[in-house]
Amino acid sequence: DGGITQSPKYLFRKEGQNVTLSCEQNLNHDAMYWYRQDPGQGLRLIYYSQIVNDFQKGDIAEGYSVSREKKESFPLTVTSAQKNPTAFYLCASTHGTGNSPLHFGNGTRLTVT
Amino acid sequence: DAKTTQPTSMDCAEGRAANLPCNHSTISGNEYVYWYRQIHSQGPQYIIHGLKNNETNEMASLIITEDRKSSTLILPHATLRDTAVYYCIVRVYRDDKIIFGKGTRLHILP
């Protein structure tokens, strides 16, 4: 079945450590997105990528980094510079053309202590 | 900032139609209206989208006003499983940046 896989579902890290969240899609989608969600809040855009080897900052990119070396993969690194990294992280993808909807993964819940 | 405004929360009795409004007064001619919903601790799920005409699928109906400045998502016979946060967004045909607001928390009452 086609879809988006985020792993792991739960992730625990110590403060000061970088951590990378995985996002893989087999939908042959061109565009991929990372969102952050805090309790009781909506989704905030971190980074997005329309094509391989290219990506743009969203509204809250500080303290995060991404790469897009393959069409199907868009990993997110939460660096030690991110002041409040504990959150629910969601990855999504969509075709770059046409009026196609976003498809979301089931998220990674990151806890930093 | 999000281009849409929605009520923070709504209640609906089980079995009744749930009508969720969305205001997008600054929408441009090439922007689609999309609806998603998110059940607790899961990724958002696509429901429906439209440009000008009203749309219906197996999940819901979307009514867009003639001036396109607002829309309503209709869940015809709400069940307890429809309890979720519903997001309305607008998006151009090939928009890079897809922004979500805070959505509407819908409570279905037994």
Side-chain angles (χ1 to χ4, degrees), chain B residues 17-98:
Chain B
N19 296 281
L20 291 90
C22 180
N23 183 293
H24 30 81
S25 58
T26 61
I27 194 170
S28 59
N30 61 349
E31 287 185 309
Y32 287 81
V33 179
Y34 281 80
W35 283 84
Y36 296 83
R37 74 179 183 186
Q38 185 178 26
I39 295 169
H40 184 61
S41 295
Q42 295 182 19
Q45 174 192 24
Y46 164 76
I47 301 173
I48 198 167
H49 74 283
L51 182 63
K52 296 180 184 177
N53 301 320
N54 298 337
E55 302 288 344
T56 295
N57 63 20
E58 64 279 3
M59 290 182 68
S61 294
L62 173 60
I63 307 298
I64 302 174
T65 58
E66 194 169 339
D67 63 8
R68 304 210 322 122
K69 292 185 176 182
S70 65
S71 61
T72 301
L73 178 75
I74 301 172
L75 308 177
H77 304 286
T79 72
L80 295 177
R81 286 175 294 184
D82 292 321
T83 293
V85 177
Y86 288 76
Y87 296 97
C88 165
I89 68 169
V90 294
R91 179 188 170 196
V92 297
Y93 182 83
R94 192 188 164 85
D95 196 5
D96 291 347
K97 201 172 176 182
I98 302 177

Side-chain angles (χ1 to χ4, degrees), chain A residues 30-35 45-51 54-59 61 66 68 74 92, chain B residues 95-99:
Chain A
D30 297 304
M32 297 187 73
Y33 297 78
W34 274 106
Y35 292 90
L45 183 62
I46 306 173
Y47 268 99
Y48 58 102
S49 167
Q50 293 291 101
I51 57 173
D54 189 39
F55 47 82
Q56 287 77 41
K57 293 181 179 180
D59 294 331
V66 293
R68 186 86 187 276
F74 191 40
Chain B
D95 196 5
D96 291 347
K97 201 172 176 182
I98 302 177
I99 302 297

